[in-house]
Amino acid sequence: MIIVYTLFAMRRLLIVLLLLPSLCLAADAEFRLSIRDHRFEPAELRVPAGKRIRLTIVNQDAAAEEFESYELHREKLIPGNSSGSVYIGPLEPGRYPFFGDFHPQTTTGVIVAE
Amino acid sequence: MYRGIAFAVGAAALSLSTLCAAGPADYVYTPAVEYGEREIDFKAGRANTHDADQQSAASLGFGYGATQHWFTEFYAKYESSGSGAVHFDAWEWENKFQLTETGQYPVDAGFVVELERPQDHSEGYEVRFGPLLQTDLGKLQLNGNLLFERHYRASESGPMEFGYQWQAKYRWAQAFEFGLQGFGDVGPWDDWNPSEQQSHRFGPAVFGKIPVGVHKAIRYNAALLFKASSGAPDNTFRMQVEYEF
């Protein structure tokens, strides 16, 4: 019973904590990235610096791919013929390389924050 | 075949545990789940206290990112005390749930639930659970976890215990990152022990990930923890190595 009450209380606290920042922050800037024939399109994506970005990655290949970037501190597996979202930033102006972990020779790209 | 695998797993943990440490489960959880990832996970630790036997423990596990938001891992845990032989201690089933998309909110959230079945059945079942939180400040990654633990169906009933973990990690380079880690146990969650009986420890830590092939990598982290309260061991060395594929 204690576990149930504790979980309930923590869930309420978590929801409040998570909703507060979402009410305070401006909407995310949205960008789209495709994977086709094991290549990112576009291979260079320009985004505004200082803003949080929602990056929708559409994998048009049948094989899964993993979006990975140490510079962006993100790893996200995108199954074949599906899509997923990655949230990044706010970024300082600069170049942030990324790659596909399953096909690192061809699936490469860079985000340019400016 | 399964007996052979079990023997190999046990032998590896036994041999390595003699090198390392106490509380192998005492690693800092992070809330992110990597879907589709499989990992072989070795953890070990050793705690030294000047007027007590040295405590060592190790675990070997296999984990899998079953969905975008659920990672599950199964461990065999071993331990030894003083000059005693290493012996099997418990089976553990860990489940981690990612509650928010990484970076979507200022704080990323997850939740962990562990079920442990000690070899000594009089200890019953141990359940450990709690929220996992993480945020990034530039290249600095901060984690804070609150953990609740209780034994069920044990020969002696006990209260739910409360503990915490934290780490601050500077992401200097993928192969080598550094920072601090801390662990604490305060006793019953609603009636903390006197401060001299609480265990608080913290110290320097290193981290890294080394790619070893297409979608294969070795990830490591280790820390040397020093006592920050009289209820803690004088020093503890803990480490974790994972092969991800």
Side-chain angles (χ1 to χ4, degrees):
Chain A
M1 188 59 78
I2 291 174
I3 290 181
V4 173
Y5 283 129
T6 307
L7 282 171
F8 183 73
M10 284 194 297
R11 185 180 166 200
R12 296 283 296 271
L13 177 65
L14 200 57
I15 290 170
V16 171
L17 284 172
L18 293 175
L19 285 179
L20 278 176
S22 67
L23 294 173
C24 303
L25 296 173
D28 304 328
E30 298 203 17
F31 290 83
R32 179 185 167 106
L33 198 61
S34 295
I35 302 170
R36 186 163 56 188
D37 298 330
H38 307 306
R39 294 178 190 280
F40 284 116
E41 296 179 4
E44 182 173 301
L45 186 62
R46 295 183 177 275
V47 303
K51 276 197 164 187
R52 197 176 51 192
I53 308 295
R54 177 181 179 177
L55 186 60
T56 300
I57 304 170
V58 181
N59 185 359
Q60 298 177 354
D61 288 339
E65 187 55 273
E66 184 171 87
F67 175 91
E68 182 164 345
S69 170
Y70 181 75
E71 289 75 7
L72 295 167
H73 199 190
R74 293 291 179 269
E75 290 181 38
K76 175 90 173 182
L77 186 128
I78 313 293
N81 296 315
S82 67
S83 62
S85 294
V86 174
Y87 294 84
I88 55 177
L91 298 173
E92 297 287 326
R95 296 173 67 84
Y96 300 84
F98 57 85
F99 64 98
D101 199 28
F102 288 111
H103 305 89
Q105 302 301 323
T106 59
T107 318
T108 59
V110 62
I111 286 176
V112 181
E114 54 190 16
Chain B
M1 178 182 172
Y2 292 120
R3 290 182 65 185
I5 293 171
F7 178 80
V9 165
L14 283 169
S15 61
L16 286 166
S17 66
T18 58
L19 300 174
C20 322
D26 286 347
Y27 74 104
V28 178
Y29 304 99
T30 54
V33 166
E34 292 179 24
Y35 175 40
E37 180 183 282
R38 291 161 291 173
E39 67 179 39
I40 296 170
D41 179 7
F42 174 71
K43 295 194 283 289
R46 172 180 289 173
N48 295 299
T49 303
H50 69 280
D51 56 355
D53 286 342
Q54 182 183 77
Q55 301 289 322
S56 299
S59 73
L60 195 62
F62 176 76
Y64 178 59
T67 75
Q68 294 276 13
H69 298 98
W70 173 40
F71 186 86
T72 186
E73 186 161 355
F74 201 68
Y75 296 98
K77 300 174 74 173
Y78 298 83
E79 69 174 20
S80 73
S81 179
S83 57
V86 175
H87 60 87
F88 174 69
D89 178 45
W91 294 108
E92 183 175 293
W93 184 29
E94 175 186 311
N95 291 280
K96 187 168 75 173
F97 303 94
Q98 180 176 329
L99 301 181
T100 62
E101 285 299 323
T102 304
Q104 185 174 6
Y105 303 106
V107 176
D108 303 326
F111 198 88
V112 69
V113 180
E114 285 181 355
L115 176 65
E116 183 178 303
R117 179 56 163 165
Q119 174 75 352
D120 180 356
H121 287 191
S122 68
E123 295 180 31
Y125 294 86
E126 180 185 306
V127 177
R128 194 183 205 200
F129 63 93
L132 316 175
L133 303 170
Q134 176 175 309
T135 192
D136 285 355
L137 298 173
K139 284 192 164 190
L140 190 64
Q141 176 187 318
L142 303 174
N143 292 87
N145 305 326
L146 305 177
L147 297 171
F148 300 84
E149 186 177 308
R150 186 170 187 181
H151 286 261
Y152 292 91
R153 296 188 182 179
S155 57
E156 293 181 21
S157 63
M160 182 179 295
E161 307 269 330
F162 173 64
Y164 65 86
Q165 313 173 326
W166 61 268
Q167 72 179 10
K169 177 168 80 170
Y170 184 72
R171 302 180 60 254
W172 184 58
Q174 186 176 44
F176 183 78
E177 302 167 329
F178 55 88
L180 295 170
Q181 284 187 340
F183 299 82
D185 298 293
V186 301
W189 73 283
D190 57 349
D191 184 20
W192 292 9
N193 289 333
S195 58
E196 65 272 16
Q197 293 176 19
Q198 296 179 14
S199 171
H200 303 281
R201 52 212 164 110
F202 71 96
V206 293
F207 316 79
K209 178 182 175 183
I210 302 165
V212 293
V214 175
H215 200 59
K216 295 181 177 65
I218 291 173
R219 206 182 280 267
Y220 72 89
N221 70 85
L224 183 58
L225 309 169
F226 299 98
K227 68 186 295 181
S229 68
S230 53
D234 292 342
N235 59 73
T236 303
F237 172 74
R238 56 149 304 277
M239 55 85 76
Q240 177 181 27
V241 179
E242 300 167 299
Y243 174 60
E244 301 176 347
F245 58 103

